[in-house]
Amino acid sequence: MGFVAEALARRFAEPDWPLFACPDWAERLAQRRSLIPDALRELLDQKEAARAVAIFNKLRLPDVPGQPTMAEAAGEWQRDIVRVLFGTIDPATRVRILREIFALVPKKNAKTTGGAAIMVTALLMNERPRAEFVLVGPTQEVADTAFQQASGMVEADEFLRTRFHVAEHTKTITDRLTKARLKIKTFDMRVATGSKPAGILLDELHLMASMADAGRVIGQLRGGMIANPEAFMVIITTQSDRPPAGAFKAELDYARGIRDGRIVADVATLPLLYELPEKMQRDGSWRDPAHWHMVLPNAGLSITIERLAAEYRAARDKGDEEERRWASQHLNVQIGLALHTDRWIGADYWERQADAGLTLATLLVRAEVIVAGIDGGGLDDLLGLTLVGRCRDTKRWLAWSKAWAQPIVWERRKEIAAELDGFVEDGDLVRCEHPTQDLQEVAALLVTVQAAGLMPETNAIGLDPQGIGALIDECVQQGLPEELMTSVSQGFRLSGAVWTAERKLADGTFVHADQALMVFCVGNARVEQRGNAVLITKQTAGKAKIDPLIALFNAVFLMSRNPEATGGGMDAFLNRLAAAA
């Protein structure tokens, strides 16, 4: 039994074997060491791995003077992909232990060129007659670039010109011996139609993820791989220039879980994530070029740190928004808030004030009093609810939010559908199954808070005065006193609440639950100055959604009145329950 066969047998017997985990990844990046885990490297079919790397190294860059070989031009990270991709197939059964690779690599590290070389190598390593290999680009331009690189590598080598037939009009390269084909395509639903690929490479997943049905297309591609036991999928992508969402967020979170050892069972994916530790991304350490070598595996080849430093200075001089966008693309710094020049000032402090331990349950325990803010519009808007409590110990304000949306929101706002799906998965957004589900669930949640004795006697629930009749009726029907509810004037009259929230965020006396939904809403908020007032409205935010943020401002307006709970708080509520028992 060979190395790979032994690994397959052990994998079957021990599904919790952390074969692909790399817990010392940060240390490896700092020392510019390979991210291939030692356990996996030891199990490779070294002969096949070396043969694949030798083929890869002989390919030539078609668009560089002198047409250097990949041995000269490629970073070791690309050879790592080739090494593990073709060294993890059992020679007897042709079953692959490593089915997928997820590589997160910044721009200018020759991702597209390297991807083309990997797929040409796959054609040459392939033994399956009429096998189909697919390289998918997010746009026509990227797909064209990938094809020009792959076909250029064929044209640059006399042997390959004889071995392969290149069809420019269909972007196809065919092996004359095995009839296997490499197709370069643009990402859409047709990519997965009727496909049973032996190998797939997805270039720039973060761009694909913003497209409609991206997750479903990727799922269908995976389904097509089942027919071939040696099939593989390689994803090579840059970090998103917006907060990760949809299929990209799902794949990235999964890869991080494997890398960190949190996800072990039934794993067949190798994560190669060139990103700085979260602490360095949050505290601004990423701005120091001394750390950049950690995330630039092609440094000294396709890019230099000196050149990047000059580009960074230019981006920084253009403002925060451009600086963060640049960092996301060139250093894989994950954007938490899509900052823009007319942003709400509170956005600058939002991420810092997140409390991962704050949930609805902990809010009910920690708060001495709670008020609610609600905002929503038509059926194509979110219905946002934010609870703001005053901590009984520290007197800091604590905020927790939730939202509801009707199915029509996904139909009319396809450009944010991926983000919405992510919030549903997080549990912070409810996709309603019937028209009144949102009203009923909001009212029920408010009843829970009021029953706990945490609301003031009056002015406990602040609502936009427009279109609130149905919600008030539902609240009254579920037993909430009507005097708990009060209208909160919107527009410039809400300026005081906006200023209060941003000041308390800045001085650290306002914390919020760590929710991607609110990061999305805060990032969407745009400010319009009118005289001495500021407006944060749905109109200025455009198509993006900010309803839960407006709900937060409504709650802040009420908390600014320094309310007192009439029921004695959670302790009194629990005592009443005990007495009743």
Side-chain angles (χ1 to χ4, degrees):
M1 182 180 289
F3 285 131
V4 179
E6 289 179 7
L8 284 168
R10 183 175 175 186
R11 197 82 176 130
F12 181 77
E14 302 177 44
D16 290 337
W17 182 27
L19 180 59
F20 301 111
C22 188
D24 61 340
W25 60 273
E27 180 182 341
R28 288 172 179 254
L29 288 177
Q31 298 172 359
R32 302 202 69 172
R33 293 163 50 204
S34 171
L35 292 180
I36 298 179
D38 295 337
L40 177 60
R41 187 181 292 276
E42 292 171 1
L43 291 170
L44 295 180
D45 183 332
Q46 299 295 341
K47 181 179 178 181
E48 285 299 285
R51 185 165 75 92
V53 170
I55 291 172
F56 176 85
N57 280 341
K58 289 182 180 179
L59 298 175
R60 293 184 174 276
L61 292 182
D63 57 349
V64 175
Q67 295 188 323
T69 63
M70 295 300 286
E72 304 167 87
E76 194 61 26
W77 71 278
Q78 293 171 328
R79 276 181 283 276
D80 274 349
I81 291 178
V82 172
R83 194 171 283 117
V84 297
L85 202 57
F86 301 103
T88 52
I89 302 176
D90 178 32
T93 64
R94 303 303 297 169
V95 173
R96 177 187 297 279
I97 187 174
L98 174 65
R99 299 281 285 179
E100 298 187 24
I101 295 175
F102 184 96
L104 184 72
V105 187
K107 279 187 174 181
K108 298 186 179 179
N109 281 273
K111 295 190 307 300
T112 300
T113 298
I118 290 168
M119 297 308 283
V120 172
T121 301
L123 269 182
L124 290 164
M125 292 290 293
N126 170 63
E127 297 180 2
R128 178 180 291 273
R130 300 185 181 277
E132 180 181 350
F133 296 87
V134 183
L135 193 162
V136 184
T139 63
Q140 184 70 42
E141 182 180 359
V142 173
D144 287 343
T145 299
F147 176 72
Q148 291 303 320
Q149 294 299 98
S151 61
M153 291 173 186
V154 171
E155 294 169 2
D157 186 278
E158 183 178 356
F159 168 75
L160 296 183
R161 288 198 302 270
T162 303
R163 176 74 178 262
F164 295 131
H165 170 70
V166 177
E168 294 273 351
H169 62 292
T170 59
K171 293 187 176 62
T172 303
I173 299 174
T174 304
D175 187 335
R176 289 188 169 100
L177 293 181
T178 64
K179 305 303 180 184
R181 297 177 298 172
L182 169 61
K183 294 184 176 181
I184 286 81
K185 299 183 177 182
T186 304
F187 186 81
D188 61 27
M189 184 60 72
R190 293 171 295 179
V191 168
T193 303
S195 180
K196 296 181 180 180
I200 306 165
L201 190 142
L202 300 182
D203 191 5
E204 298 293 22
L205 176 65
H206 77 281
L207 294 176
M208 300 175 187
S210 63
M211 303 175 189
D213 298 320
R216 191 153 62 95
V217 174
I218 295 171
Q220 289 180 349
L221 286 171
R222 285 195 171 106
M225 291 167 54
I226 295 175
N228 299 325
E230 78 279 16
F232 67 84
M233 176 185 287
V234 177
I235 298 174
I236 304 179
T237 183
T238 303
Q239 179 58 263
S240 174
D241 60 0
R242 300 174 61 187
F248 174 69
K249 182 178 186 297
E251 299 291 341
L252 178 57
D253 288 348
Y254 181 66
R256 286 171 173 163
I258 296 171
R259 176 196 64 186
D260 299 340
R262 292 180 285 105
I263 300 174
V264 180
D266 301 319
V267 167
T269 300
L270 174 66
L272 298 174
L273 309 180
Y274 289 89
E275 61 178 356
L276 295 168
E278 183 177 347
K279 181 179 183 300
M280 296 179 68
Q281 296 192 42
R282 287 186 177 274
D283 66 15
S285 300
W286 60 266
R287 293 183 172 89
D288 186 350
H291 301 308
W292 292 0
H293 69 278
M294 296 175 65
V295 296
L296 299 174
N298 247 49
L301 297 169
S302 59
I303 187 61
T304 65
I305 291 178
E306 292 75 17
R307 178 181 167 190
L308 272 185
E311 290 188 5
Y312 169 63
R313 288 191 293 270
R316 182 189 59 197
D317 291 343
K318 295 177 182 177
D320 289 345
E321 181 181 4
E322 177 60 17
E323 180 187 27
R324 294 202 178 196
R325 187 209 62 78
W326 185 93
S328 72
Q329 298 302 283
H330 296 280
L331 299 177
N332 275 346
V333 174
Q334 180 169 314
I335 286 184
L337 294 170
L339 296 184
H340 34 73
T341 54
D342 52 352
R343 67 187 179 276
W344 174 47
I345 294 176
D348 293 354
Y349 310 100
W350 189 263
E351 291 179 293
R352 187 190 70 186
Q353 293 304 111
D355 180 352
L358 182 57
T359 64
L360 175 59
T362 59
L363 175 63
L364 295 177
V365 173
R366 293 167 62 181
E368 63 183 8
V369 62
I370 292 176
V371 294
I374 299 173
D375 186 74
L379 291 178
D380 62 345
D381 274 324
L382 305 186
L383 178 60
L385 166 69
T386 295
L387 301 179
V388 173
R390 189 172 62 234
C391 181
R392 67 178 67 189
D393 298 322
T394 66
K395 305 306 177 184
R396 291 195 301 176
W397 293 7
L398 316 172
W400 174 87
S401 302
K402 190 164 185 174
W404 289 257
Q406 300 293 333
I408 195 172
V409 177
W410 276 262
E411 297 173 16
R412 293 194 176 184
R413 300 289 185 260
K414 294 184 184 297
E415 66 275 12
I416 61 171
E419 284 94 336
L420 298 179
D421 288 337
F423 306 147
V424 171
E425 186 175 340
D426 294 340
D428 297 324
L429 175 66
V430 176
R431 180 166 179 154
C432 297
E433 297 179 0
H434 55 82
T436 60
Q437 179 180 347
D438 48 359
L439 304 180
Q440 294 170 358
E441 293 186 2
V442 168
L445 199 154
L446 294 173
V447 167
T448 299
V449 179
Q450 195 262 349
L454 288 166
M455 283 187 171
E457 188 173 356
T458 61
N459 300 326
I461 304 168
L463 308 101
D464 181 341
Q466 299 297 322
I468 61 172
L471 179 58
I472 291 178
D473 290 344
E474 182 63 37
C475 289
V476 171
Q477 184 175 339
Q478 292 199 29
L480 284 173
E482 192 166 346
E483 56 267 23
L484 289 179
M485 288 163 272
T486 183
S487 64
V488 177
S489 298
Q490 303 296 294
F492 71 89
R493 294 182 179 86
L494 202 57
S495 296
V498 173
W499 290 328
T500 298
E502 65 191 36
R503 180 172 291 277
K504 294 186 73 65
L505 282 165
D507 66 20
T509 58
F510 184 107
V511 297
H512 57 85
D514 192 4
Q515 297 172 290
L517 168 67
M518 292 305 291
V519 171
F520 173 75
C521 294
V522 171
N524 289 336
R526 283 176 160 76
V527 174
E528 180 183 342
Q529 192 77 33
R530 289 193 185 175
N532 293 327
V534 295
L535 278 77
I536 299 180
T537 66
K538 297 171 187 175
Q539 287 74 24
T540 56
K543 293 182 178 180
K545 298 299 181 183
I546 61 170
D547 305 84
L549 178 63
I550 300 298
L552 182 146
F553 294 141
N554 290 342
V556 166
F557 177 83
L558 297 183
M559 185 58 74
S560 299
R561 297 179 173 181
N562 196 30
E564 296 293 334
T566 56
M570 181 59 74
D571 289 341
F573 174 63
L574 294 176
N575 290 335
R576 289 196 299 272
L577 287 180

